[in-house]
Amino acid sequence: RYSMKSERQCKEFFVDNSPADPTAHRKSQSRGAARRRAMIEAAWQVLQEKGCEAATLSDIIALSGGSRATLYEAFGGKDGLFEAAVAERCSAFGESMQLVLDEKNDPRIVLETLALAYLSKVVAPESTRTLSIFVAEGGRFPQMIETFLRHGPRALTSRLAGYLASATRAGQLQVDEPELAADLFLSMLQGQWLLRVMSQNEAPPTPDALRKRVKLVVSIFLDGVKDRKRR
């Protein structure tokens, strides 16, 4: 039944709740985005220095500014903040790789460019340190590991598989199983080399060593694709 209370509710629903000063609202949003950015960057730095378990919210807030309440409001806590930092780092790299994957270009150039960027990133000290932390502490932070896999290795494999499928449709390659081929290609690049670098049993590779490995892996991969095309 209609009542005065119903009328008030209708008026409240349709009232314009937008801020009187749109400029002030935009400034508030900008400050919020800046605080969020500072916390993500601080979380990544603290993660590198202390690992997941030893890192505290106090460490992150001391580095980024802001407050514990703001951090909880934006990320829900330490785990959510670390997941956001990992997702952002991985996604940014994956998106930069997407620019390389153009089926209009020669496949050898495309694969060599992607492979060199990927391998240089993977064996860099920051990446090997992060992977070592994930290996050591992943059991206690399964959601963060899932975030890393989803936005990192799985996403890049999917992007590369999409390229291989497009290049096949364009007649440049003949890849029957793009997802499997992409996974094998990336695995060939890092091989046991990454494990040796992570365990500090081998010095990080020089740029020349990286280029040599990339050219060999791409040649082996393309030769295999050509073999399948002849069958």
Side-chain angles (χ1 to χ4, degrees), residues 100-151:
V100 175
L101 297 171
D102 186 348
E103 66 271 14
K104 294 190 293 293
N105 293 329
D106 179 79
R108 184 176 296 274
I109 294 174
V110 170
L111 292 175
E112 285 184 356
T113 303
L114 178 136
L116 186 58
Y118 170 75
L119 200 52
S120 298
K121 179 74 172 178
V122 164
V123 299
E126 181 183 82
S127 295
T128 56
R129 168 65 178 158
T130 303
L131 289 172
S132 296
I133 291 169
F134 288 169
V135 169
E137 304 186 28
R140 296 190 294 277
F141 298 89
Q143 192 56 45
M144 186 179 66
I145 299 302
E146 173 58 29
T147 298
F148 165 70
L149 293 173
R150 184 171 67 252
H151 292 276

Side-chain angles (χ1 to χ4, degrees), residues 82-95:
F82 277 148
E83 288 168 29
V86 169
E88 183 170 293
R89 288 276 171 155
C90 292
S91 297
F93 178 70
E95 288 167 10

Side-chain angles (χ1 to χ4, degrees), residues 12-182:
E12 289 170 0
F13 181 82
F14 287 107
V15 70
D16 183 4
N17 289 315
S18 59
D21 184 353
T23 303
H25 180 60
R26 285 195 296 271
K27 287 180 179 178
S28 176
Q29 286 183 319
S30 179
R31 286 194 296 271
R35 283 195 295 269
R36 188 178 190 279
R37 158 65 40 209
M39 286 180 174
I40 286 177
E41 291 179 354
W44 185 258
Q45 183 175 332
V46 172
L47 174 66
Q48 292 290 309
E49 293 172 355
K50 294 191 172 185
C52 308
E53 187 73 27
T56 67
L57 292 182
S58 297
D59 294 328
I60 295 167
I61 292 168
L63 194 59
S64 66
S67 67
R68 191 175 292 261
T70 300
L71 190 151
Y72 270 99
E73 181 181 354
F75 302 102
K78 184 175 82 169
D79 289 1
L81 177 54
F82 277 148
E83 288 168 29
V86 169
E88 183 170 293
R89 288 276 171 155
C90 292
S91 297
F93 178 70
E95 288 167 10
S96 70
M97 290 298 93
Q98 187 64 47
L99 300 176
V100 175
L101 297 171
D102 186 348
E103 66 271 14
K104 294 190 293 293
N105 293 329
D106 179 79
R108 184 176 296 274
I109 294 174
V110 170
L111 292 175
E112 285 184 356
T113 303
L114 178 136
L116 186 58
Y118 170 75
L119 200 52
S120 298
K121 179 74 172 178
V122 164
V123 299
E126 181 183 82
S127 295
T128 56
R129 168 65 178 158
T130 303
L131 289 172
S132 296
I133 291 169
F134 288 169
V135 169
E137 304 186 28
R140 296 190 294 277
F141 298 89
Q143 192 56 45
M144 186 179 66
I145 299 302
E146 173 58 29
T147 298
F148 165 70
L149 293 173
R150 184 171 67 252
H151 292 276
R154 289 177 194 157
L156 182 57
T157 300
S158 180
R159 289 175 189 272
L160 178 54
Y163 163 74
L164 295 175
S166 296
T168 296
R169 289 193 297 268
Q172 294 178 311
L173 296 173
Q174 182 63 42
V175 181
D176 297 334
E177 298 183 68
E179 195 79 22
L180 177 58

Side-chain angles (χ1 to χ4, degrees), residues 211-226:
R211 285 191 289 270
K212 182 179 179 181
R213 186 180 184 92
V214 162
K215 286 186 176 296
L216 180 58
V217 169
V218 170
S219 292
I220 292 172
F221 180 80
L222 290 178
D223 285 346
V225 171
K226 289 174 183 176

